[in-house]
Amino acid sequence: MEQIVVVGAGITGLATAWYCQQRGIRVTVVDRTGVAAGASWGNAGYLTPELTDPLNGPLVLLDAARTVARNPRGPLQVRPGTDPRRWLFLLRMLAASTPRGFRHTLSVLQDLRSQALGAHDELAAVSGVALRRDPFLVGYLSVAARDRALPLFAAAGPSVDPVALDQREMQERLPILGDPIRAGIELHGQAYVNPPQLMAGLADAVRAGGAEILEGVRVDAVHDTGSGVRLSGSDRELSADAVVLANGAWLNELATGFGVRSFVQAGRGYSFSVWPDPMPTAPIYLPEPHVACNPLGDRFRVTSVMEFNAVDAPLDQARIRSIVRACRPLFPGVDWAARQDEWVGSRPCTADGLALVGATRSPRVFVHGGHGMWGLTLGPLTARLLAEQLVTGQVPRQLRALDPLR
């Protein structure tokens, strides 16, 4: 295989392009909008492989229904609408939310965890954007909530090494915290990154490797010609030996015709930036309001919400206001009215919580997507494994459970 086209310029697409270049494959990347135009730009930037718990936990939809019933504008919102595929996705997610389904998904994720940060270190070396490995903070509204969480973090892996903190210790580490945060946990062994900087640096590295990144190019159809592939759309055609569909929450538009039956649902996340004084020096996660915060240079990114909705639905200002209401008492010194960078992006989610990575019914059409909330954490590793499959024709052991045709 000498030349491929990668559809999608998010983390999965660009990482796939770079790893393929390292194996001698010529690459063209196309994206309907541009580099990191979707979930790869506005996410929290957490790289937490040992904390990648599946969404399909037992009774997950029942818990979700209770959350929505208590707070319709809270951190989880399900909008089935009239799209039958979304209803089917929710039914399949319910079917996967059993103890057995959860254990299977967790075992697959655990198999990927140990190598995830190693792949990121490789990308950091070429993008020029180093990983930060400062301890994470997790803040709780009660000591009891912290104590319930401690053994769960302890079981996640030895490098996590959770340390219980009281209110004073939390405020010493993060002076902008308000009094409602009564206790916390310090976590180790994970990392975080500035997503916009990482994506820009990775795009530059891919271009430096000889690839062309075509922005504003929509692919409407993929054709297997028997000896290669032909892509059509946006008044142009592209040809190559193979294609990798890494177009996120739009994956089904091009992959369904090649036997990929799993529906990729948009799990939309919201974020914005504020400017605390003093600026925090480490990430903090607040489990009760489901808010993830990360210092990104001169700004503090606030990220929340899992909204199952149409992929192209507009940003809902009510969702932003609900995040502000949840955060205002927890960070009392922040000027919330001065927020900027309001954003919504669609994470590509599968019903069983596992990504779709590998060959389709066509040996010339591959997919790479469906990581849900863990695309930034696990995407570079699965890109490296997919590049190995493209070159050798052999499916790496870690990708067998991610078969797109399952």
Side-chain angles (χ1 to χ4, degrees), residues 34 47 138 147 153 191 275 296 335 337-338 361 369 390:
L47 305 176
V138 186
D147 291 346
F153 284 120
W275 284 261
L296 302 182
D335 182 358
R361 194 170 56 202
L390 284 164

Side-chain angles (χ1 to χ4, degrees), residues 41-230:
W41 186 88
N43 65 82
Y46 287 14
L47 305 176
T48 54
E50 291 189 283
L51 307 179
T52 50
D53 287 336
L55 283 177
N56 63 319
L59 303 178
V60 65
L61 291 190
L62 178 59
D63 290 341
R66 289 171 176 166
T67 300
V68 172
R70 287 195 303 267
N71 184 4
R73 285 292 178 184
L76 176 67
Q77 188 167 79
V78 181
R79 294 182 175 179
T82 58
D83 188 341
R85 296 176 301 174
R86 208 172 307 151
W87 283 101
L88 183 58
F89 169 84
L90 294 173
L91 290 173
R92 287 178 174 172
M93 189 175 181
L94 177 61
S97 298
T98 62
R100 181 179 180 182
F102 177 81
R103 287 193 299 269
H104 171 67
T105 301
L106 182 60
S107 69
V108 175
L109 295 178
Q110 288 174 332
D111 196 30
L112 296 168
R113 288 175 176 178
S114 63
Q115 301 179 61
L117 290 184
H120 266 284
D121 284 332
E122 292 176 338
L123 296 188
V126 298
S127 69
V129 180
L131 309 188
R132 297 283 302 273
R133 284 182 162 85
D134 307 290
F136 277 62
L137 295 176
V138 186
Y140 294 92
L141 303 179
S142 69
V143 173
R146 178 203 65 190
D147 291 346
R148 287 193 297 269
L150 264 173
L152 301 178
F153 284 120
S159 69
V160 176
D161 187 24
V163 177
L165 303 176
D166 60 23
Q167 185 180 53
R168 177 186 59 80
E169 291 169 320
M170 286 290 291
Q171 292 181 347
E172 286 176 351
R173 285 165 171 76
L174 206 67
I176 66 169
L177 279 182
D179 289 339
I181 300 298
R182 301 299 179 86
I185 299 175
E186 185 177 80
L187 304 177
H188 304 87
Q190 311 305 296
Y192 63 99
V193 72
N194 186 317
Q197 288 184 358
L198 171 64
M199 296 306 300
L202 183 55
D204 288 343
V206 169
R207 292 188 182 101
E212 185 178 13
I213 299 178
L214 304 176
E215 300 181 276
V217 174
R218 179 187 176 98
V219 176
D220 295 320
V222 175
H223 309 276
D224 183 341
T225 64
S227 58
V229 292
R230 178 169 52 83

Side-chain angles (χ1 to χ4, degrees), residues 14 24 134 315 346 350-351:
L14 290 181
D134 307 290
L315 183 146
S346 294
T350 62

Side-chain angles (χ1 to χ4, degrees), residues 3-5 7 218-245 253-258 360-366:
Q3 182 177 9
I4 66 168
V5 173
V7 180
R218 179 187 176 98
V219 176
D220 295 320
V222 175
H223 309 276
D224 183 341
T225 64
S227 58
V229 292
R230 178 169 52 83
L231 288 70
S232 58
S234 295
D235 299 323
R236 69 163 65 202
E237 289 192 351
L238 296 169
S239 297
D241 298 319
V243 62
V244 176
L245 305 178
E253 292 182 1
L254 300 176
T256 301
F258 296 96
T360 66
R361 194 170 56 202
S362 164
R364 287 167 282 277
V365 179
F366 297 77

